[in-house]
Amino acid sequence: DLTAMIQRGNVAVVFNTKKNQSLPKTWQGINVFDGDMDDLRFLDPSNVIVGLRAKGKAKKETATATGFVIAA
């Protein structure tokens, strides 16, 4: 259960959002924090999805291919 995972610590999710676009504000009812803003994870708010934009080969992945990249 995603909610239970979030209560133990933040969870990173990779979205297919382009570099110049905003990540979704929420995903599955949980607030998304933009993890691409910096690498200082210890400063992130608690109980959030740390949203990341797909980079490298992952940018070409479709959201259904492996489930690694989520459609925003």
Side-chain angles (χ1 to χ4, degrees):
D1 172 303
L2 185 59
T3 303
M5 287 175 58
I6 293 293
Q7 290 173 348
R8 289 190 288 267
N10 294 343
V11 174
V13 175
V14 179
F15 293 97
N16 66 350
T17 304
K18 295 190 186 307
K19 187 176 183 178
N20 59 349
Q21 295 177 332
S22 297
L23 291 166
K25 293 195 184 296
T26 63
W27 186 67
Q28 294 194 5
I30 299 169
N31 289 336
V32 174
F33 177 79
D34 190 343
D36 285 333
M37 291 174 41
D38 59 49
D39 292 330
L40 305 172
R41 297 284 63 86
F42 64 94
L43 295 177
D44 293 351
S46 300
N47 306 84
V48 297
I49 297 288
V50 178
L52 302 169
R53 289 168 185 80
K55 297 166 189 73
K57 292 180 183 180
K59 289 193 319 188
K60 295 181 178 146
E61 181 186 323
T62 61
T64 57
T66 65
F68 181 74
V69 177
I70 304 298

